[in-house]
């Protein structure tokens, strides 16, 4: 009986070792699948939208994203200027950090000197100007059951449609052979749909964002931004003001009793091979017209976002 029990024990141990050996050398193809990657789809069902909707008068606005737009104010500007001058904070790529906050920094040039910012201070040549990240306000110009279409309430940046030297002024062709006034091949598109979008929106906001672009002439009429062609203001568009940051950058603006206004790019080709369309600066109202693609004009992005449940 003892011999029988010993034999059973030996056989059991042998089978156990054999099973272990098979497990260690298992074919990877037969291993259990790893857990699925985290969900990165654009499904937002049941989620709370990362934006607010506010009403001001007859207009509605969507509050989403943040960008360097507004001056920190005279007192804070003095504090930050002194800290930079004393070497207590560093400026890298036009950005500095202080007390856990990031600020954009620029040296005020001759073009910007004398301009008055929204916070009341007047820019002086040679001084540093600091700007804080501020929530962006987008005017809602379209809506359906799936989402909103909203355009930035201010001109948030300045750039060329395509830079001088990147195209032939004779043929209107870019160095890569594409048309210089084609938005799809433009530096403007790259700025708005990549650099600006990724700087302004966080991961959750991007999940709710269907697209970021610029407006077209047709959309000015589709969204009732341009007055009908049979009225006293036929084809005119309400003029738009630039941010403090744009003013301090010394970009070309129109100064009126009502403040500063600036022109901004549309995504349409112009009347010449090397021209694209803009909405002019105006004073109260502005017209769209054709200019060279190498001219610097304002950027007024349009965003399409999903609705919440």
């Amino acid at each position: 009986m003892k011999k029988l029990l010993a034999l059973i024990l030996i056989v059991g141990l042998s089978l156990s070792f054999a099973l272990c050996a098979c497990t260690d050398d298992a074919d990877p193809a037969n291993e259990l699948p790893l857990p699925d990657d985290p969900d990165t789809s654009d499904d937002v069902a049941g989620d709370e939208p990362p934006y607010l909707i506010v009403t001001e008068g007859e207009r509605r606005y969507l509050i989403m994203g943040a960008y360097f737009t507004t001056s920190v104010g005279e007192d804070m500007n003095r504090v930050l200027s002194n800290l930079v001058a004393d070497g207590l904070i560093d400026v890298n790529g036009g950005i500095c950090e202080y007390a856990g906050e990031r600020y954009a920094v620029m040296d005020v040039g001759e073009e910007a000197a004398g301009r008055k910012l929204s916070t009341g201070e007047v820019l002086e040549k040679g001084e540093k100007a600091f700007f804080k990240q501020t929530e962006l306000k987008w005017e809602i110009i379209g809506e359906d059951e799936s989402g909103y279409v909203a355009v930035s309430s201010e001109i948030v940046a300045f750039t060329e449609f395509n830079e001088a030297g990147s195209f032939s002024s004779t043929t209107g062709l870019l160095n890569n052979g594409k048309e210089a006034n084609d938005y799809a091949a433009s530096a403007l598109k790259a700025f708005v749909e990549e650099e600006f979008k990724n700087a302004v929106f966080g991961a959750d906001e991007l999940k709710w964002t269907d697209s970021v672009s610029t407006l077209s002439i047709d959309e000015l009429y589709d969204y009732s931004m341009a007055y009908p062609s049979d009225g006293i203001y036929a084809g005119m568009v309400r003029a738009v003001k630039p941010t403090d940051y744009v003013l301090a950058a010394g970009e070309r603006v129109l100064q009126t009793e009502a403040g500063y206004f600036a022109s901004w790019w549309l995504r349409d080709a112009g009347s010449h091979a090397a021209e694209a369309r803009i909405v002019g600066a105006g004073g109260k109202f502005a017209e769209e017209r054709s200019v060279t693609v190498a001219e610097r004009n304002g950027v007024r992005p349009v965003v399409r976002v999903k609705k919440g449940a």
Side-chain angles (χ1 to χ4, degrees):
M1 185 66 179
K2 291 182 178 179
K3 290 183 177 180
L4 179 60
L5 289 173
L7 180 60
I8 292 172
L9 181 60
I10 292 170
V11 171
L13 289 172
S14 298
L15 288 172
S16 178
F17 283 128
L19 288 172
C20 289
C22 289
T23 302
D24 291 342
D25 298 331
D27 185 343
N30 295 323
E31 292 180 356
L32 291 174
L34 294 173
D36 292 335
D37 291 332
D39 181 19
T40 56
S41 69
D42 59 359
D43 181 16
V44 295
D47 294 345
E48 285 294 322
Y51 54 77
L52 296 175
I53 294 178
V54 299
T55 300
E56 297 179 7
E58 297 181 352
R59 298 192 179 96
R60 290 191 304 157
Y61 297 91
L62 186 149
I63 310 298
M64 186 174 82
Y67 204 48
F68 295 109
T69 59
T70 310
S71 168
V72 297
E74 187 174 358
D75 291 340
M76 189 62 179
N77 203 89
R78 186 182 303 109
V79 169
L80 293 172
S81 294
N82 290 337
L83 290 171
V84 170
D86 294 341
L88 297 176
I89 58 175
D90 296 323
V91 177
N92 296 305
I95 303 294
C96 72
E97 293 189 21
Y98 174 67
E101 298 289 336
R102 298 174 74 241
Y103 301 93
V105 191
M106 68 173 65
D107 295 312
V108 178
E110 185 173 350
E111 298 83 0
R115 291 178 178 177
K116 188 175 183 179
L117 304 183
S118 64
T119 48
E121 72 261 43
V122 176
L123 295 170
E124 295 187 22
K125 182 181 178 181
E127 292 190 346
K128 290 189 180 298
F130 294 80
F131 303 86
K132 57 187 176 181
Q133 283 186 301
T134 309
E135 287 183 323
L136 288 181
K137 185 164 75 171
W138 308 78
E139 183 179 349
I140 297 174
I141 57 175
E143 177 183 359
D144 59 24
E145 65 279 0
S146 63
Y148 300 100
V149 179
V151 64
S152 63
S153 61
E154 296 178 298
I155 291 168
V156 296
F158 252 67
T159 190
E160 302 88 350
F161 197 93
N162 273 310
E163 294 181 359
S166 67
F167 66 94
S168 166
S169 58
T170 303
T171 65
L173 296 179
L174 293 166
N175 297 336
N176 60 14
K178 296 182 179 180
E179 296 179 348
N181 59 9
D182 179 5
Y183 176 76
S186 69
L188 173 64
K189 179 180 186 295
F191 172 76
V192 173
E193 299 186 21
E194 296 175 28
E195 183 179 338
F196 173 81
K197 181 182 74 173
N198 293 325
V200 167
F201 300 126
D204 192 35
E205 292 166 323
L206 288 172
K207 190 176 180 180
W208 284 75
T209 303
D210 288 327
S211 67
V212 181
S213 184
T214 56
L215 288 166
S216 67
I217 294 175
D218 287 343
E219 287 170 334
L220 292 179
Y221 290 95
D222 291 344
Y223 295 122
S224 300
M225 295 182 66
Y227 285 86
S229 57
D230 57 353
I232 187 173
Y233 295 116
M236 302 288 275
V237 180
R238 184 160 35 93
V240 184
K241 294 182 177 182
T243 64
D244 286 345
Y245 183 85
V246 170
L247 283 176
E251 302 293 358
R252 187 183 71 257
V253 297
L254 173 67
Q255 184 176 6
T256 72
E257 292 182 357
Y260 300 96
F261 297 89
S263 55
W264 46 283
W265 287 112
L266 299 169
R267 67 172 187 268
D268 300 86
S271 54
H272 182 269
E275 292 184 351
R277 311 297 291 187
I278 64 167
V279 173
K284 182 176 181 182
F285 300 106
E287 294 180 288
E288 62 87 14
R289 56 190 173 86
S290 184
V291 299
T292 173
V293 296
E295 185 174 290
R296 288 182 66 83
N297 286 288
V299 177
R300 194 184 185 196
V302 59
V303 63
R304 291 164 176 82
V305 300
K306 301 175 180 67
K307 274 186 175 179

